[in-house]
């Protein structure tokens, strides 16, 4: 009982942290204290204050306003990446895990070949082919993330298809599609939901890494990763720039990780 309460406590903390950052990103879609691109030569490298909560950068731009917009971009890229990876990966994993045989062999061999390379490296290859830009980053990362979801879902479908409730559904004449969508898929949520949380965090880190290296989001768009890259030149003169951007990334990953941990340990009923 105590362990269960502790895990729920982690879930609540994760939801609270993620909700705050999500709210900040959503508000950034409609309103920011200052225009994110507004420059002020007289306010360069202003330390955090009531006027500028996170201080200003090398162009006198309000960092808090840019963090709000950057968090929105990072959220959008990460959410779209997870959606693409999970949707295609779930389809591939469901087909291979349920039917097995030649379909499983062919698709899993392709899956193994893709997973032999790190996701970031694959994304770099796709970016080099597609070009820069937010949507190309989403597409590249989404494709690179498909194999991880496919393998997880395949294992669950292969395990669930041998269970009695699936055999009973077959005896009652249920179609393969109905069995997969209505019976098996809902019972993969204990594995799928934490995997989505892990995938979201990996997407945040991947986007931040690519933007930090200069191959992700490009100006005038801004993301947390791009701001980290921009702030590295001013770590001594304006340490608050990198600290605030880095802290938001860390808190976002921490919050989603706690959610994933809570979901993984949650008892799901059939």
């Amino acid at each position: 009982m105590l362990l269960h309460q502790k895990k729920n406590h982690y879930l609540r903390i994760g939801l609270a942290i993620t909700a705050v950052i999500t709210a900040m990103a959503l508000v950034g879609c409609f309103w920011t204290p200052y225009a994110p691109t507004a420059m002020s030569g007289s306010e360069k490298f202003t330390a955090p204050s009531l006027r500028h909560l996170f201080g200003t950068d090398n162009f006198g731009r309000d960092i808090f306003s840019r963090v709000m917009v950057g968090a929105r971009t990072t959220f959008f890229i990460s959410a779209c990446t997870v959606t693409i990876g999970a949707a295609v990966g779930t389809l591939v994993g469901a087909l291979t895990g349920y039917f097995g045989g030649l379909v499983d062999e062919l698709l899993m061999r392709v899956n193994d070949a893709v997973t032999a390379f790190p996701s970031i490296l694959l994304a770099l290859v796709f970016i080099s082919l597609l070009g820069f830009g937010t949507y190309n980053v989403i597409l590249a990362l989404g494709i690179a993330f498909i194999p991880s979801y496919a393998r997880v879902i395949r294992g669950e479908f292969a395990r669930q298809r041998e269970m009695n409730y699936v055999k009973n559904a077959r005896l009652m004449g249920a179609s393969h599609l109905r069995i997969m969508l209505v019976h098996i898929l809902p019972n993969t949520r204990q594995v799928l939901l934490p995997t989505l949380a892990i995938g979201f965090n990996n997407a945040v880190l991947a986007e931040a890494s690519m933007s930090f290296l200069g191959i992700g989001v490009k100006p005038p768009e801004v993301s947390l990763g791009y701001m980290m890259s921009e702030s590295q030149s001013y770590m001594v003169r304006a340490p608050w720039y990198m600290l605030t951007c880095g802290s938001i990334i860390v808190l976002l990953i921490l919050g989603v990780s706690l959610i994933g941990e809570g979901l993984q340990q949650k008892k799901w009923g059939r």
Side-chain angles (χ1 to χ4, degrees):
M1 182 66 179
L2 182 61
L3 182 60
H4 179 67
Q5 290 178 346
K6 184 178 180 182
K7 288 165 182 173
N8 285 340
H9 187 55
Y10 286 155
L11 181 58
R12 286 193 293 269
I13 293 175
L15 287 171
I17 295 173
T18 307
V20 170
I21 300 177
T22 303
M24 183 175 67
L26 290 176
V27 171
C29 296
F30 310 101
W31 174 85
T32 54
Y34 299 88
T37 57
M39 303 180 187
S40 175
S42 62
E43 293 187 308
K44 291 182 179 179
F45 300 119
T46 300
S49 63
L50 291 178
R51 179 176 171 81
H52 297 286
L53 293 180
F54 289 176
T56 61
D57 63 9
N58 53 307
F59 291 111
R61 297 171 298 191
D62 182 64
I63 294 176
F64 182 63
S65 299
R66 290 177 64 76
V67 164
M68 293 175 71
V69 176
R72 179 191 68 193
T73 303
T74 298
F75 254 100
F76 177 70
I77 291 176
S78 302
C80 290
T81 294
V82 169
T83 300
I84 293 172
V88 180
T90 297
L91 177 62
V92 172
L95 291 174
T96 56
Y98 183 79
F99 291 107
L102 183 60
V103 176
D104 182 24
E105 192 66 27
L106 288 175
L107 290 179
M108 280 301 103
R109 293 298 72 79
V110 174
N111 195 78
D112 290 340
V114 174
T115 29
F117 301 93
S119 298
I120 289 291
L121 182 59
L122 283 176
L124 292 178
V125 172
F126 291 131
I127 284 293
S128 66
L129 296 174
L130 300 172
F132 300 117
T134 300
Y135 293 101
N136 287 340
V137 170
I138 291 171
L139 183 59
L141 290 176
I143 294 172
F145 279 28
I146 289 173
S148 58
Y149 290 103
R151 183 160 294 281
V152 170
I153 296 300
R154 174 189 176 274
E156 272 301 293
F157 265 75
R159 184 177 71 86
Q160 296 281 344
R161 73 180 180 186
E162 302 300 330
M163 300 187 75
N164 289 332
Y165 77 91
V166 175
K167 294 178 180 179
N168 291 337
R170 288 199 193 103
L171 290 174
M172 295 178 67
S175 65
H176 291 309
L177 183 62
R178 179 177 176 81
I179 291 173
M180 292 170 67
L181 294 180
V182 177
H183 296 281
I184 299 181
L185 185 60
N187 289 311
T188 64
R189 60 184 180 270
Q190 187 166 5
V191 172
L192 180 59
L193 292 179
T195 304
L196 290 175
I198 294 171
F200 184 88
N201 281 345
N202 288 339
V204 170
L205 290 173
E207 184 281 322
S209 300
M210 294 175 69
S211 295
F212 188 86
L213 294 173
I215 54 175
V217 172
K218 291 292 184 183
E221 294 182 89
V222 60
S223 71
L224 296 176
Y226 175 79
M227 292 180 70
M228 287 288 291
S229 175
E230 194 175 50
S231 66
Q232 66 176 328
S233 302
Y234 311 104
M235 291 179 60
V236 177
R237 187 172 182 182
W240 56 84
Y241 193 0
M242 178 168 282
L243 287 174
T244 50
C245 299
S247 296
I248 296 298
I249 293 176
V250 170
L251 286 173
L252 176 58
I253 292 173
L254 174 62
V256 177
S257 295
L258 290 174
I259 292 174
E261 178 67 21
L263 291 173
Q264 189 172 17
Q265 302 300 333
K266 182 177 174 62
K267 299 299 181 182
W268 300 93
R270 269 191 39 76

